[in-house]
Amino acid sequence: MNIQLKTLELQNFKGVPALRVEFSAGVTTIYGANGTGKSTIYDALLWLFFGKDSAGNAKFTVKPVGVSGVTPTVTAVCLVDGAPRKLSKVLRERWAKPRGSTETQYMGDTVDYFIDDVPRKESEYKRILSEYIPEERFSLLMGVHRFAQELPWRQRRAILAELCGLPDDETLLYGAPQFAPLRKAMHGTTVEAYQIACAAERKGVAHTLDSLPIRMDECRRSVQALETTDFAAARHEQEQLSAQCRELRAALAKLEGDALLTEARAAHKAIWAEQRALEAENTAHRQAQAAKDPRAQAQTEMQQAEQARRTLEAELASLGQSVEAGEKRLAAYDAQMEALEQETFSPAVCPTCGQGLPPEQLAAAQARWQTARQTRRETLCRDRAFLQGEVERARMEYARKTDERAGKLEQSAACAARLAACPAADAITDLPDYPTRKCALDLQAAEVLDRIHALESGQENERDRLQRALSAHEARLAVCAQTLAQEKRLHDAHARLAQLAAERDTCAARLGALDDSLALCEAFSRYKVQFLTHAVNARFRLAQFRLFREQLNGGIAECCEVVVDGVPYEDLNHAMQVNAGLDIIRTLSAHFGVSVPVVVDNAESITQLETAGLQAVRLVVSAPDTVLRVEQE
């Protein structure tokens, strides 16, 4: 489709009150000084087609500034594939009387659309124009800077791919056997997606590989700290404490039913029997020695006499104390009897009013006093008579014991004389292990007695003692359990260390494989760079395209930059930028099969404009032309 601009008329559009411009099929040059309306022509043309100005703004001032009541109008006659089409767009002010008001007020603007002088709705107007050529494509072919400077690079790249029929990654891979491993590893994705996935995975693997030495060092330090613990000693102590705790719990259970006291008494009885048996055994041993000693009989008799004498002396001492105590009590009875005889009756008085008792009550009180004194006298006499008899019997027993003691002294002296007359013999000794066995049994008996006394005096104290001992043992058991729990931590640390070492080897292998895959992706990217760059640049005469950029890390990133002889589009002078844009538009017009007018602003700086085959409108700044001047070529 070929769209050619024939005429353009402006009325009250921006700063132009009225203007008509005729265009040739080739190049039309419009001269004018600054402010004469050259850019307004470009704005009017774009407003007519798209409702925007040359800067791409949809909201801009269409009406002349400071002038009211005017109707901006833009009309263009175009040849669409040779057929004339008249397009018109009129901006009208809306005035109305609000309810309750007598004055007409400005209510905003409205736009009227015409095609071949036939009114059209806005949607219909835009639809018809889009059937000629879509807005984006129209603006792409009309503005020389639109493709190279304003369009995002990804859109430029997509248009070039459509223009040149660039193959996708899969097609390129099938045409290059050296990249067969890459095609197999991609699993249907693109090379870029696969490369991004590999790079992301490599970052994670590298991070893991960098962190593994630190984690392994932590495990090693944990192992070294735990290996110093003596777990065998802790296990042995745990077994001993467990046995002791069982014994203490059994003792507490027995204590509840007096079984512990019964058991202690039985133990004491058994120890006492062992002591008696040991004494009997030792006595028999000594008697066996004494049977061979002629002095044994005399010595035995003397010991018995001495023992009897000591017993009699103790009994005499006790009897003497009894007699002395009895005499003191007799003296006390005599003092009480004397005090009783000296007592007299004292008349009583009424405890309420303090007056003396009547005669009959006084006689009764005196009779009662006499009876009570007689009863006390009889009791004292009876008790003193009984005590007197006891004291007499003690004196008689004391005299008898004194005589008996004298006899024992004579017997002991006779035995000593006989013993002195007997020849000396070997000393009688105890059993060889008698002292040791006797001491052990005595200690056991003392411990059992202490237990019995403790149990008899109060089972609660014994229960507290057992409970405290059990709590202490359980606390030590908890410490042992904590220590033995460290043994599992040690085993886990060894296993974790081995796991981290295996993970390190796996990560290192995977990192190498990812590096190989990324290198293959970069090699394919360079191959793709050469292929695509040649395919694209072959379609243009002046403009060239840089489709890939070398990164600092050696990788290749996609881009789409316009260059001329290696110079980026932004760094070109204005003339070269325009000619490169015209070259791009010419190629795109041929590809799309559409030709539209091209507007070149600031064309005065361009000595030679490459417009072959295109309808171009040159806007030239010319200071002498204070009124717009149009030339056609």
Side-chain angles (χ1 to χ4, degrees), residues 334-559:
D334 293 340
Q336 291 178 19
M337 184 63 73
E338 184 178 355
L340 183 63
E341 294 298 333
Q342 294 178 0
E343 288 181 0
T344 59
F345 174 74
S346 298
V349 295
C350 179
T352 303
C353 61
Q355 297 178 359
L357 294 175
E360 62 275 9
Q361 293 183 4
L362 183 62
Q366 186 173 5
R368 288 194 299 272
W369 176 81
Q370 289 289 348
T371 302
R373 189 176 69 164
Q374 182 62 31
T375 301
R376 290 165 56 199
R377 182 184 296 110
E378 291 175 358
T379 301
L380 285 174
C381 290
R382 185 175 58 253
D383 291 343
R384 187 182 186 288
F386 176 78
L387 181 60
Q388 183 68 40
E390 291 295 322
V391 171
E392 290 299 329
R393 281 192 294 275
R395 287 174 178 165
M396 293 173 62
E397 185 68 17
Y398 185 85
R400 188 181 67 80
K401 294 289 184 181
T402 302
D403 295 339
E404 188 177 350
R405 182 185 61 176
K408 292 298 181 181
L409 287 174
E410 293 177 358
Q411 184 181 359
S412 178
C415 289
R418 282 193 297 144
L419 187 61
C422 292
D426 296 334
I428 297 175
T429 60
D430 294 327
L431 289 170
D433 57 348
Y434 174 76
T436 303
R437 293 169 60 187
K438 185 176 184 303
C439 182
L441 289 173
D442 291 343
L443 288 174
Q444 292 179 18
E447 291 178 357
V448 173
L449 282 175
D450 289 341
R451 288 175 56 194
I452 291 173
H453 293 156
L455 291 171
E456 289 177 343
S457 61
Q459 291 189 0
E460 192 62 34
N461 294 334
E462 179 65 10
R463 183 181 293 105
D464 291 343
R465 184 188 69 80
L466 294 174
Q467 191 62 53
R468 287 195 300 272
L470 180 61
S471 299
H473 283 49
E474 288 176 343
R476 292 173 59 191
L477 267 177
V479 174
C480 291
Q482 292 177 357
T483 302
L484 292 176
Q486 301 299 318
E487 187 174 18
K488 184 179 183 305
R489 286 187 55 195
L490 178 61
H491 295 160
D492 293 344
H494 279 298
R496 180 59 177 162
L497 192 59
Q499 180 183 359
L500 291 175
E503 185 178 357
R504 178 193 58 195
D505 297 339
T506 302
C507 287
R510 182 57 182 164
L511 191 64
L514 289 171
D515 287 338
D516 294 341
S517 298
L518 289 172
L520 197 60
C521 290
E522 292 176 1
F524 173 76
S525 298
R526 291 184 174 85
Y527 171 78
K528 181 179 177 181
V529 166
Q530 297 174 358
F531 184 89
L532 297 183
T533 302
H534 176 74
V536 169
N537 290 335
R539 303 293 297 271
F540 297 88
R541 182 183 62 81
L542 180 61
Q544 299 291 295
F545 291 89
R546 182 182 293 132
L547 302 178
F548 300 90
R549 183 185 297 110
E550 189 81 17
Q551 294 180 315
L552 295 176
N553 59 3
I556 295 177
E558 288 187 349
C559 64

